[in-house]
Amino acid sequence: MAAWLQRLSTLRLTHDEQGTARGLMLHMSELERDAYLKDPPEVAEAAIRGLLREAVVTIPGVDFSEVFSSNLLQPALDAPPALADLPRFLAAPPVAQVPVSAGSSSAASPRIAQRFATASGRLARAVGYSLSAPLIFGAGKLWSLIAENTVVVTLLMELDAVLPASERIGLVAERDQGGPTSLMTVTSAGGRSLRPNGVLRDSAGLRMLAKWENGATKMHEAASDLYAKSAAWTPLYYGDIEYLPCFAAAGSQLQFFAIPRGGSRMQAPRPISPVLQLTFESDRAQAVLTTIKFYQLLRAQCTRYPNYVLMADRELRARHPNGFIRSLLFRTDEVAVRKRVAPWEEYVAWSGVEFAELQKLYDATKRSQGLVHALAGMPTLTDDRYSVDLIPLGRQPGYARPVTEDDARDMVHGLLHGLAAIHKAGFVHRDLRLDNTACSPNGRRWFLLDLETCAPAAQRPRDGFEPRGWPPGGLLVDGLYTCASDLFQLGRMVSEQCGSLVLSAEGKTFLNALQTTAAAQKLSAEQLLAHEWLQCQGETCRAAGAQPGER
């Protein structure tokens, strides 16, 4: 082995860095190699890494896309730039030259052209496509869609895909496919879609990292849609990010934006790049450079999202064995979740729940705490499709499990308030399990979900209606599902989730009372709320989540 290769192999470089450095140094003179390798190891390692960041290497048969992409995104950001610094951050070129396939070079200005270097491999081809694939511009939004997909979205996805696995976001691009017959459409009073044209998420699908809109010809209209479709702000969607990165395409124009967070509403989008005219080669090349920096920004944004964020604008669908589909959409134009069930007749045949009864229940409980409320009046039923917008949103129980006796008290206290309201209206819940609960963002105030399983009290369940988690015995009273049946279900759930946390004598007495079988239960939800362990304040109590009007 040559002395310089031996020396190189002793340095603390990654396998890819070693391979790229060997390829480069094979073409150097002995004097040039010595300039990098004669220094102490830590100095030599830094010098070689600097060389790799700046160089675009082409060796026949070798794809250096992984190295190129990693170099382009240096230095890794500890945190996203402040909102005021974003224009400066995006305008600064990547620290390394951008590889581009031969024949894709543009007639950009020398200042921009020097940021690119001819290379081969997957990333170079993706950059070449983004830089020089033919674009046709017309009067409709379709042409804007083709332009943003060609220049921005495709490059973002390829850049993510070629990175080392440990450095990837796992980027997922989603487009609004909802037409007028979709199960989950959200429209304005004028019939305009209020779902984003596209969103970018991480690999888990939870975090909405960015979004985009397409306009037919006018950028201000596309920017206006950015705001209208993301007007609602909640940490349950966005954690503590300072802004939501965005871009918009309108005809031949492309521009990057940031939507600053507000209180319960977002602020108007702020431009963080100039308007780029994609018919101008220099502007299109600048769009490619900005897209690379935009990806670097998205990587930094990932660190600002907690694990419990909800899937903003992701439609969640579940098909029941009886044929109906239940669908949820966490809306971004409102802090609300849209729930739909279709075909409704098949749901009724399984559950025995009548639409008019649900309307009565939502109306009767609209001023109660401890359970979700309809956002605007009542549920609707149109063309055999049930729909309701629900408030408030809450943390999923998996991210808010009780860890102390006080936490357990808060949980059962809030859920009992919800049950008491349902029972007072003459209904029972019938599906009390952890998945049908949520709590406030601070993790203390709990409330009930899924009122669509509620039915009038003391009725015989329909044959085949047995929600997941129903116990084999102790639930029904002479074949009827009663208010005591709900209490028994709640007692089992609380005992499973946090029974071991309750150590006080009062707490154990309460749980024993709550776990009484339905046939033997003599107490109501209202009476259990008066138990000394809960410390309920009666009519002035605000311990539960989902206070009337809470968003």
Side-chain angles (χ1 to χ4, degrees), residues 264-326:
S264 61
R265 311 292 289 178
M266 284 188 171
Q267 300 177 39
R270 297 188 190 179
I272 55 175
S273 81
V275 175
L276 299 168
Q277 178 57 256
L278 298 181
T279 56
F280 298 160
E281 291 188 324
S282 285
D283 276 18
R284 185 163 172 179
Q286 183 61 56
V288 170
L289 298 176
T290 304
T291 297
I292 294 169
K293 297 299 295 286
F294 192 77
Y295 180 87
Q296 190 177 15
L297 170 62
L298 297 186
R299 281 211 306 178
Q301 287 281 98
C302 287
T303 64
R304 304 295 295 271
Y305 286 77
N307 290 331
Y308 60 74
V309 292
L310 302 173
M311 296 183 182
D313 200 62
R314 165 72 69 85
E315 182 179 354
L316 307 175
R317 295 165 61 98
R319 180 180 289 276
H320 193 272
N322 287 56
F324 57 86
I325 296 174
R326 287 180 281 201

Side-chain angles (χ1 to χ4, degrees), residues 64-373:
F64 288 107
S65 293
E66 185 174 287
V67 177
F68 295 157
S69 58
S70 189
N71 290 344
L72 283 170
L73 300 174
Q74 298 301 319
L77 302 177
D78 294 329
L83 178 60
D85 295 332
L86 276 180
R88 189 182 312 111
F89 170 78
L90 289 183
V95 295
Q97 283 187 299
V98 180
V100 61
S101 54
S104 301
S105 57
S106 69
S109 68
R111 178 184 64 81
I112 295 177
Q114 68 179 347
R115 305 310 312 170
F116 296 87
T118 301
S120 59
R122 181 175 174 180
L123 181 59
R125 290 192 297 273
V127 172
Y129 177 79
S130 181
L131 196 62
S132 57
L135 294 177
I136 300 173
F137 299 105
K141 287 188 177 183
L142 173 64
W143 307 108
S144 301
L145 182 154
I146 293 171
E148 47 86 348
N149 186 67
T150 300
V151 178
V152 180
V153 177
T154 299
L155 180 55
L156 288 171
M157 301 302 293
E158 283 296 286
L159 183 58
D160 184 70
V162 300
L163 274 168
S166 62
E167 299 178 29
R168 294 175 197 155
I169 297 173
L171 207 58
V172 177
E174 297 176 351
R175 293 184 183 274
D176 178 17
Q177 303 294 331
T181 60
S182 170
L183 184 61
M184 192 56 72
T185 54
V186 182
T187 57
S188 67
R192 191 176 183 186
S193 174
L194 290 175
R195 295 189 63 182
N197 287 163
V199 300
L200 294 166
R201 302 184 191 275
D202 66 353
S203 57
L206 289 173
R207 302 170 177 89
M208 181 194 285
L209 301 176
K211 55 171 288 189
W212 72 87
E213 291 295 331
N214 299 316
T217 56
K218 298 177 180 179
M219 179 57 69
H220 71 87
E221 292 179 354
S224 177
D225 278 350
L226 282 175
Y227 176 69
K229 299 180 183 182
S230 285
W233 177 271
T234 171
L236 291 169
Y237 289 170
Y238 305 114
D240 68 344
I241 61 174
E242 184 186 359
Y243 50 78
L244 182 68
C246 308
F247 58 89
S252 60
Q253 296 181 332
L254 175 72
Q255 191 169 21
F256 292 83
F257 294 86
I259 303 179
R261 71 179 176 196
S264 61
R265 311 292 289 178
M266 284 188 171
Q267 300 177 39
R270 297 188 190 179
I272 55 175
S273 81
V275 175
L276 299 168
Q277 178 57 256
L278 298 181
T279 56
F280 298 160
E281 291 188 324
S282 285
D283 276 18
R284 185 163 172 179
Q286 183 61 56
V288 170
L289 298 176
T290 304
T291 297
I292 294 169
K293 297 299 295 286
F294 192 77
Y295 180 87
Q296 190 177 15
L297 170 62
L298 297 186
R299 281 211 306 178
Q301 287 281 98
C302 287
T303 64
R304 304 295 295 271
Y305 286 77
N307 290 331
Y308 60 74
V309 292
L310 302 173
M311 296 183 182
D313 200 62
R314 165 72 69 85
E315 182 179 354
L316 307 175
R317 295 165 61 98
R319 180 180 289 276
H320 193 272
N322 287 56
F324 57 86
I325 296 174
R326 287 180 281 201
S327 184
L328 293 176
L329 178 78
F330 293 100
R331 295 174 57 174
T332 56
D333 62 307
E334 292 277 2
V335 182
V337 59
R338 175 158 292 181
K339 181 175 187 176
R340 283 187 168 161
V341 182
W344 180 250
E345 285 188 2
E346 294 186 11
Y347 181 76
V348 173
W350 170 73
S351 67
V353 175
E354 296 294 341
F355 175 69
E357 292 171 347
L358 280 180
Q359 286 189 310
K360 177 182 176 182
L361 175 63
Y362 275 108
D363 183 59
T365 58
K366 64 186 177 184
R367 294 182 179 86
S368 302
Q369 61 177 318
L371 73 172
V372 289
H373 304 108

